[in-house]
Amino acid sequence: EGLAVINELLLEEYLYGVVPREMPASYPEESLKAQAVCARTYAYGNMRNAGFPKLGAHVDDSTSYQVYGNTEERAETTAAVEATRGQLLYYGDELVSAYYYSTSCGYGTDTGAWLGLDAPDTPYLQAREIAAAAETRKEEREGENGPQALMDEDAFAQFIQGEQSQAYEKEEAWYRWRYVVEQVDVAEMERRLAQRYDVQPGFILTKTEEDTYESRPVGVIGSLRDLRIVARNPGGNAAQLLIEGSQGTYLVETEYNIRYLLNNGNAPVIRKDGSETAAPTLLPSAFLMVTTGKKEEDVIGYTIIGGGYGHGIGMSQNGAKHMATAGLTQEEILSFFYEGSRIETIY
């Protein structure tokens, strides 16, 4: 029914193409080395558990795995790959799931953002403040100033509308952004609900007559009466979105689904520096707050204030850039984002 084109190459040579696609070659050397170790660890994990076994392929070349190709090799990134040759990231005896993303809002989150509020704990992927001196303030993580505090709606609203002087990425354009929907398209929201139910039915729940929520085929919304975040993960990442309508009420779970449902496909994202960029599919992140505009009892529009770009789990690439600029080494960057991990050279 078609052709599958498969490229076979050595792991290190694969990284020559991945690293400059995933991180600009102009970034500091130590951040490029940290990126190389992450990319190698991620690829090696997929070599042991192939993504496309029927085709005899380990990964594809897209953001579903790691981006590869369409960029020339760069001397700086190739040097970072060669300087870390054979280095992988381990936690105990297990290979680390070396997830990474573009930019943080000042905090990262844990895997509950993908797996739900009852997700099992991954010790080396924890919510944390991504700011200067944060590595010395571990005792605050469970306190009033830590990531747990941002699970509270008021606390997160205050945080996302402010600017933290010690945040590594406070000058990045994606550090803060706005998204304004002047007129809600309920039909488009229903379409997106149904689409995500087909993909992840366990995370698109319908309110029943007994006031419980169940996974069932999506019906209609009717007039939109309310739209709000009702639960957050540590670090403030939105965990549950309530869509309340006159004919149907739905609970949307996990960060990807929330980013998809709150996007109307048309409005631009306005970044911190005032620049506008199209976002036809997903909002930049789920580190966001929603305020609605109403006419009588119906929601007619909404405004989102958000921060960061990406899922927020693992290493922030721009965070790594600024940490390297501040003098942190590859090892220090990786141990910060994957706490308790170690680098092991296997060849």
Side-chain angles (χ1 to χ4, degrees), residues 15 19 22-23 27-42 66 76-77 79-81 83-84 87-89 98-100 315-317 319-321 323-324 328-338 343:
L15 297 175
V19 177
E22 291 288 1
M23 180 176 280
Y27 278 22
E29 179 184 4
E30 293 301 308
S31 60
L32 293 175
K33 288 161 65 177
Q35 177 66 62
V37 174
C38 286
R40 183 183 293 105
T41 302
Y42 187 86
Q66 295 183 127
E76 299 90 340
T77 50
V81 172
T84 62
Q87 292 183 5
L88 300 176
L89 206 56
Y99 303 119
Y100 53 88
M315 184 180 76
S316 165
Q317 293 165 306
K321 176 185 76 171
M323 292 168 82
L328 275 69
T329 66
Q330 158 206 347
E331 292 83 0
E332 290 171 324
I333 293 169
L334 292 172
S335 65
F336 175 83
F337 286 111
Y338 309 98
I343 296 173

Side-chain angles (χ1 to χ4, degrees), residues 3-18:
L3 297 175
V5 181
I6 300 172
N7 184 15
E8 290 190 8
L9 68 165
L10 297 173
L11 174 57
E12 298 297 317
E13 294 180 1
Y14 164 74
L15 297 175
Y16 294 165
V18 168

Side-chain angles (χ1 to χ4, degrees), residues 27-88:
Y27 278 22
E29 179 184 4
E30 293 301 308
S31 60
L32 293 175
K33 288 161 65 177
Q35 177 66 62
V37 174
C38 286
R40 183 183 293 105
T41 302
Y42 187 86
Y44 192 77
N46 280 285
M47 289 172 66
R48 300 198 307 184
N49 186 19
F52 304 92
K54 292 182 179 179
L55 297 175
H58 299 114
V59 297
D60 69 19
D61 59 358
S62 76
T63 54
S64 296
Y65 289 86
Q66 295 183 127
V67 181
Y68 172 85
N70 293 326
T71 295
E72 291 185 0
E73 295 175 13
R74 296 289 301 273
E76 299 90 340
T77 50
T78 296
V81 172
E82 292 177 346
T84 62
R85 178 178 175 82
Q87 292 183 5
L88 300 176

Side-chain angles (χ1 to χ4, degrees), residues 134-206:
E135 61 272 20
T136 66
R137 298 201 299 272
K138 295 179 182 180
E139 70 278 1
E140 294 184 2
R141 292 183 190 167
E142 302 302 324
E144 60 181 12
N145 298 317
Q148 300 292 330
L150 296 184
M151 297 174 73
D152 176 77
E153 194 65 25
D154 291 338
F156 180 80
Q158 182 178 357
F159 164 77
I160 202 68
Q161 294 178 91
E163 186 166 312
Q164 290 63 48
S165 61
Q166 291 190 310
Y168 278 116
E169 295 152 280
K170 62 182 182 295
E171 300 303 327
E172 295 289 334
W174 282 118
Y175 178 69
R176 291 290 182 267
W177 49 266
R178 292 172 60 86
Y179 187 78
V180 180
V181 175
E182 295 182 354
Q183 186 66 49
V184 173
D185 186 341
V186 175
E188 172 66 10
M189 191 172 284
E190 289 173 346
R191 185 190 72 81
R192 289 186 173 231
L193 268 173
Q195 191 173 57
R196 293 313 300 168
Y197 174 82
D198 289 342
V199 177
Q200 289 190 318
F203 292 134
I204 306 296
L205 308 177
T206 300

